[in-house]
Amino acid sequence: MNERIFRVLEFNKIVDQLSSHAASSLGKNQALQLKPLTDLDSVLEIQKETDEAAQILRLNLAVPLGGIFDIRASIKRSVIGGMLSTEECLDIGNTIYGGRQVKSFVNKLEEELPILVSLVERIEPLRDLEQHIKSSIDDHGNVMDSASVKLKSIRSSIRTYESRVRDRLDGYTRSKSAMLSDPIVTIRNDRYVLPVKQEYRGSIGGIVHDQSASGATLFMEPKSVVDLNNQLQEAFIKEKHEIERILRELTSHIAAEELFLTENVEVLGKIDFMFARAKLGQSMKASMPKMNDKGIIKMQQGRHPLIPIDDVVANDIEIGEDYNSIVITGPNTGGKTVTLKMVGLCTLMAQSGLQVPALDGCEMAVFENVFADIGDEQSIEQNLSTFSSHMTNIVEIMKNVNYKALVLFDELGAGTDPQEGAALAMSLLDEVIDRGARVIATTHYPELKAYGYNRENVVNASVEFDVESLRPTYRLLLGVPGRSNAFEISKRLGLSESIIDSAKGHIGVDSKSVEKMIASLEKSQRDSEKDYEAAHQTMLETEQLKRDLEKQWKEFEDKRERLYKKAEDKANKALQEAREEAELVIDEIRKMKTNANLKEHEWIEAKKMLEDARPKLSTKRDVDKAEPSNSTKDLKVGDTIKLLTLNQQGSVLEKVGNQEYLVQVGIMKVKVKRKDILFISDKKEFTEKHITTVKGSGFHVKSELDLRGERFEDASLQLEKYIDDVILAGYQKVSIIHGKGTGALRKGVQEMANRHPRIASTRPGVSGEGGSGVTVIELK
């Protein structure tokens, strides 16, 4: 792309705006050198960079890029042996600090920012060099006393000499004030002097260093301070040499870090450039475009980047998919040229990594070349007419047009005979379209209005004009050719109707038909836009209603789940209380031993039946996990089911209707519908499971019980159940592991075992059995 296209489309103004958003000279220089890229992968990468920076700006965060300088020239001078000034060293120290601040800022962000993170990883902190600079030079660029021990000593002697000189000269100002123009001590040629009146030159004596413009005052150094001033000058020379030594040492340190410093500067410049692009996009309310190399442009509510947001009219424009050419017709000052420039300028911006002023989801293409013939470029010096000027540009364009080009023609064929100009315009459009380029052209010629209907890949468009206000609306109407509106405008301006009617009589039938067709198309366009807006609004309301319903349904589900849990907790509590009460009753009956014929294993079986009688409570999730066919499965007599309405388990007694069953739940017989029943297992499965449970109880009981770490209340419940299980399993001897500890658990276990009627004896474990940490129980 040549410089002319940047000037014609005003891309240089975008570059100037971009540079103003840079925080440092590094970013500003990169902005001023910005050029569009022509490789899709490169454009995609630079667009991602801009988008990452835009993400941070959307969080109202500011990257700390202040205090960063372009120190590359200073680094180069340090490498070739030059001595850097204090200001150069200070700029390098500040840039090192700024780089570390940027790195810290990015690393603290929680967003996914792969490009920025990879960039800041390349920044080297260089704390030693920064500390060396900051400990030697203050913020005003002066070498500090602390830079070296020798410098501190020299400056101490300078202050001593200055004090002595001033004290001696102050004596003159007090004792010989009449001989002085002013009773002050001043400096000439770096030496302390007195302003002596001309007539008292001999009375003071000494060296004259200067005189006033009138000659009435001489600036003299009295003989008594010459030696002190000499000593002071020698100290100043020593100070200068020591400062030079310190700066050369700093310069050498800087040169040693050349590679890291150069890398830091390049990274910081790139980051500043990224944020400058993002800030420009933010100021334009722009969005990141989707990029393609297929020549497809889709912009919803696209705006010209250089027209203020409050003044610009946004337009939709598409090209490259259903059609490759747009012919825009309409009156002057209607916005045709602005539309051309908007498409061209937004294309250059997108290929440069800049976001474009359009709605999210816009799509832009990467072109190898963008050509434009826009505006009247006739030259008096070259004696070129408007037509000749346009044709000169067009000839150059036609030499390079191919399928990877975007071509913009403004007033194609203008400046010559209308019939010849229209024919030439159509021929040029045919040639450009045949080469596969994307082309947008504006024209006044009525012949081109029919061009879009007679050619494939071409669509008509126009800029709208409000006849009532006699002003253009600047809205682009795709698919509708423009019309002149000359009669309507003339009538509104007061031209006689007889003249207008006469003019209409001179228009052919075909022209009248075309004008009526265009008017009908414009009306259809407006109606369809209104319908679209209404449909869009309805869709938005429907989506909001859907979101509200989903929210309410979720709240209902959550509430139902909480109620299930609350009911289950309440049932568990009631069952626990009932179990505890039943346990107390059984214990009392056992103690009474009133029934001599009642055997111990019958008590144990009764107790296990009490455990098994506890219903398995379920929540909504149990129902959700049931197989889909559960609600339609035909049930048989004896099948085990769960009655969902009571949340209790039971069995099927008989089928009493099409979808009704008589079921038994506990002692109740209930007639229920099939949808309220959850199938558990059939009669055969239930029997096998029941037999397996009873038959295999002994196989699952260990010969020892570990109660270590348990509280006695919990341990006693476990022990009691364990003894019941081992009695059923037929064990003769078991071990209870309680550990040594304080002995409280051991004592409680032994006391409980001694009270149990089925335990014959207890003893502590011997060596090999666990010692006193184990109690061995012998069963009857």
Side-chain angles (χ1 to χ4, degrees):
M1 299 183 193
N2 56 40
E3 291 295 327
R4 180 183 171 276
I5 195 66
F6 299 150
R7 185 183 71 257
V8 170
L9 295 178
E10 300 178 287
F11 182 71
N12 295 328
K13 292 182 179 180
I14 295 294
V15 170
D16 290 339
Q17 288 187 18
L18 176 64
S19 65
S20 67
H21 288 289
S24 69
S25 59
L26 294 166
K28 188 180 294 290
N29 290 336
Q30 290 196 36
L32 293 173
Q33 297 171 11
L34 181 67
K35 292 291 184 294
L37 303 174
T38 56
D39 175 64
L40 178 61
D41 292 337
S42 300
V43 174
L44 290 173
E45 182 65 23
I46 195 172
Q47 281 288 352
K48 288 178 183 176
E49 292 175 1
T50 307
D51 186 56
E52 279 199 11
Q55 286 184 51
I56 296 176
L57 296 183
R58 285 194 288 270
L59 297 173
N60 291 324
L61 298 175
V63 62
L65 287 165
I68 294 172
F69 302 91
D70 188 355
I71 57 175
R72 287 173 290 188
S74 299
I75 296 172
K76 189 175 293 185
R77 283 209 309 117
S78 72
V79 173
I80 63 176
M83 184 184 74
L84 302 184
S85 67
T86 55
E87 288 77 11
E88 289 177 302
C89 292
L90 192 61
D91 286 349
I92 291 172
N94 288 334
T95 302
I96 294 172
Y97 174 76
R100 197 167 67 253
Q101 291 294 102
V102 171
K103 185 170 187 173
S104 175
F105 171 82
V106 173
N107 287 335
K108 288 179 180 177
L109 294 173
E110 297 179 357
E111 302 291 312
E112 289 290 331
L113 305 167
I115 296 175
L116 274 172
V117 170
S118 65
L119 282 173
V120 299
E121 284 178 354
R122 293 161 52 189
I123 297 177
E124 189 67 29
L126 299 175
R127 292 179 183 272
D128 291 341
L129 177 56
E130 181 193 353
Q131 184 60 34
H132 191 179
I133 294 172
K134 293 296 178 70
S135 63
S136 302
I137 304 172
D138 63 20
D139 293 339
H140 302 290
N142 300 315
V143 178
M144 297 186 291
D145 293 357
S146 58
S148 74
V149 175
K150 185 176 180 180
L151 181 61
K152 186 175 184 180
S153 174
I154 292 171
R155 286 183 172 172
S156 177
S157 64
I158 288 174
R159 287 189 288 270
T160 300
Y161 291 137
E162 285 180 333
S163 178
R164 290 178 182 176
V165 172
R166 282 187 169 277
D167 287 345
R168 191 160 295 182
L169 292 179
D170 284 343
Y172 280 93
T173 60
R174 290 191 297 270
S175 62
K176 300 183 182 297
S177 60
M179 301 178 185
L180 306 177
S181 299
D182 289 301
I184 59 172
V185 178
T186 186
I187 297 175
R188 288 293 186 275
N189 299 328
D190 294 329
R191 300 178 76 88
Y192 287 95
V193 296
L194 293 171
V196 181
K197 295 178 181 177
Q198 176 71 30
E199 58 268 27
Y200 295 110
R201 174 178 180 176
S203 301
I204 297 295
I207 303 171
V208 177
H209 288 279
D210 198 2
Q211 68 177 8
S212 65
S214 63
T217 300
L218 302 176
F219 294 95
M220 296 183 65
E221 180 184 2
K223 293 179 181 179
S224 59
V225 297
V226 171
D227 290 339
L228 287 174
N229 264 333
N230 288 340
Q231 291 173 338
L232 181 59
Q233 290 305 310
E234 290 176 4
F236 279 136
I237 292 172
K238 290 179 181 178
E239 179 192 33
K240 182 180 178 182
H241 289 163
E242 180 61 15
I243 288 174
E244 288 181 357
R245 187 196 67 77
I246 292 169
L247 290 177
R248 288 195 178 279
E249 184 180 338
L250 273 176
T251 302
S252 176
H253 196 169
I254 290 168
E257 304 290 359
E258 172 203 5
L259 295 178
F260 290 126
L261 286 170
T262 303
E263 180 79 352
N264 286 5
V265 170
E266 290 177 356
V267 170
L268 291 172
K270 185 167 185 176
I271 291 175
D272 188 13
F273 185 35
M274 286 172 58
F275 278 90
R277 301 198 303 267
K279 289 175 184 175
L280 178 65
Q282 187 182 55
S283 68
M284 293 180 177
K285 296 184 178 179
S287 61
M288 175 184 175
K290 298 177 183 176
M291 303 303 302
N292 67 81
D293 57 359
K294 300 177 182 178
I296 298 173
I297 296 176
K298 291 182 180 180
M299 297 179 70
Q300 297 292 322
Q301 297 297 291
R303 293 173 275 111
H304 193 289
L306 296 175
I307 300 177
I309 294 176
D310 295 336
D311 300 332
V312 70
V313 175
N315 280 304
D316 300 342
I317 190 161
E318 293 186 16
I319 189 172
E321 199 167 47
D322 297 329
Y323 44 84
N324 295 337
S325 178
I326 301 175
V327 177
I328 306 175
T329 53
N332 286 329
T333 70
K336 300 191 302 296
T337 304
V338 171
T339 301
L340 281 187
K341 287 188 172 183
M342 178 195 76
V343 175
L345 186 53
C346 286
T347 297
L348 296 181
M349 290 172 62
Q351 292 185 216
S352 302
L354 301 176
Q355 297 183 340
V356 296
L359 296 183
D360 287 340
C362 65
E363 191 167 357
M364 303 297 294
V366 176
F367 295 101
E368 285 187 356
N369 276 300
V370 176
F371 299 107
D373 178 54
I374 298 176
D376 184 3
E377 298 188 17
Q378 64 176 316
S379 170
I380 296 176
E381 291 83 3
Q382 297 178 2
N383 194 27
L384 295 176
S385 66
T386 299
F387 179 76
S388 298
S389 175
H390 279 296
M391 288 310 302
T392 300
N393 294 331
I394 291 172
V395 168
E396 286 298 316
I397 290 172
M398 297 304 294
K399 289 179 181 179
N400 300 289
V401 168
N402 59 22
Y403 70 97
K404 293 183 178 180
L406 172 66
V407 184
L408 307 172
F409 289 130
D410 188 28
E411 299 299 341
L412 184 60
T416 187
D417 177 76
Q419 289 186 341
E420 292 181 357
L424 186 59
M426 287 187 284
S427 179
L428 285 169
L429 287 174
D430 285 339
E431 178 64 22
V432 174
I433 293 170
D434 288 343
R435 295 191 190 183
R438 305 297 182 262
V439 57
I440 304 178
T442 67
T443 181
H444 279 302
Y445 294 136
E447 289 85 353
L448 267 73
K449 296 178 183 179
Y451 180 84
Y453 294 103
N454 300 326
R455 300 290 195 283
E456 293 184 0
N457 292 326
V458 182
V459 68
N460 279 317
S462 62
V463 285
E464 191 178 50
F465 189 88
D466 187 352
V467 180
E468 296 297 322
S469 63
L470 301 181
R471 291 182 179 178
T473 65
Y474 304 108
R475 292 180 65 248
L476 183 69
L477 304 176
L478 284 173
V480 180
R483 55 195 181 110
S484 65
N485 298 305
F487 296 147
E488 289 83 352
I489 295 172
S490 300
K491 185 177 180 180
R492 294 282 299 176
L493 292 175
L495 187 65
S496 170
E497 287 193 19
S498 61
I499 297 176
I500 294 173
D501 291 339
S502 176
K504 288 180 178 179
H506 293 301
I507 296 178
V509 176
D510 292 341
S511 296
K512 291 180 181 178
S513 299
V514 169
E515 290 297 317
K516 288 181 180 179
M517 178 194 70
I518 294 173
S520 175
L521 286 172
E522 288 180 348
K523 183 177 183 301
S524 299
Q525 178 89 0
R526 287 192 295 269
D527 292 343
S528 65
E529 287 179 357
K530 290 179 181 178
D531 292 342
Y532 172 80
E533 289 295 329
H536 183 67
Q537 184 62 34
T538 302
M539 182 191 72
L540 293 177
E541 292 173 356
T542 303
E543 288 178 348
Q544 183 61 44
L545 179 61
K546 179 175 178 289
R547 286 193 294 269
D548 291 343
L549 288 173
E550 287 176 345
K551 181 181 178 182
Q552 292 176 15
W553 179 254
K554 186 177 184 304
E555 290 174 352
F556 167 75
E557 290 281 301
D558 292 343
K559 184 176 181 181
R560 185 170 69 170
E561 190 71 17
R562 289 195 299 272
L563 290 174
Y564 271 123
K565 185 68 171 63
K566 185 177 179 181
E568 182 175 329
D569 292 342
K570 186 175 180 181
N572 277 330
K573 184 177 179 182
L575 288 170
Q576 181 63 25
E577 291 174 353
R579 181 179 179 278
E580 291 173 356
E581 185 175 351
E583 290 283 351
L584 292 174
V585 172
I586 292 173
D587 286 344
E588 289 296 324
I589 295 174
R590 181 184 283 120
K591 289 176 183 178
M592 293 170 62
K593 295 185 177 180
T594 55
N595 191 347
N597 295 325
L598 196 59
K599 297 181 181 179
E600 184 67 22
H601 73 275
E602 293 176 339
W603 284 111
I604 295 171
E605 289 179 357
K607 184 177 178 182
K608 289 190 70 66
M609 289 177 64
L610 182 63
E611 287 282 347
D612 295 338
R614 176 179 178 178
K616 293 181 180 179
L617 297 171
S618 65
T619 63
K620 168 183 168 289
R621 290 183 294 271
D622 295 325
V623 180
D624 293 340
K625 292 179 181 177
E627 56 185 74
S629 61
N630 209 319
S631 60
T632 59
K633 181 179 177 65
D634 192 23
L635 302 177
K636 301 187 183 110
V637 175
D639 285 352
T640 302
I641 54 90
K642 177 183 285 186
L643 185 57
L644 299 177
T645 54
L646 297 178
N647 203 20
Q648 294 288 336
Q649 191 168 307
S651 60
V652 177
L653 295 180
E654 63 177 301
K655 187 173 183 180
V656 295
N658 186 23
Q659 287 294 320
E660 285 189 331
Y661 291 85
L662 182 66
V663 300
Q664 179 154 1
V665 180
I667 61 172
M668 296 187 299
K669 292 182 181 178
V670 187
K671 186 187 293 184
V672 294
K673 294 185 180 298
R674 177 64 183 87
K675 65 183 180 64
D676 296 326
I677 301 173
L678 179 66
F679 173 75
I680 303 297
S681 64
D682 59 27
K683 183 176 182 180
K684 180 179 179 182
E685 290 176 352
F686 175 78
T687 304
E688 289 176 351
K689 289 178 182 177
H690 180 72
I691 293 172
T692 301
T693 301
V694 175
K695 180 179 178 180
S697 62
F699 298 119
H700 300 291
V701 180
K702 295 182 180 180
S703 61
E704 61 182 27
L705 174 65
D706 192 347
L707 298 176
R708 287 177 294 183
E710 299 284 350
R711 296 174 56 204
F712 178 69
E713 291 79 2
D714 297 330
S716 62
L717 294 175
Q718 293 186 42
L719 178 58
E720 185 177 353
K721 185 177 185 307
Y722 177 70
I723 291 173
D724 292 343
D725 291 339
V726 297
I727 290 171
L728 283 176
Y731 289 176
Q732 296 298 316
K733 180 175 72 173
V734 293
S735 299
I736 309 300
I737 305 172
H738 44 63
K740 298 177 182 180
T742 61
L745 185 57
R746 179 179 67 246
K747 182 180 178 182
V749 168
Q750 292 174 353
E751 290 178 352
M752 184 175 178
N754 291 333
R755 293 196 306 267
H756 201 286
R758 292 300 304 273
I759 295 177
S761 63
T762 63
R763 63 175 176 81
V766 297
S767 178
E769 291 180 328
S772 60
V774 174
T775 295
V776 179
I777 296 176
E778 298 283 348
L779 298 169
K780 294 179 181 179

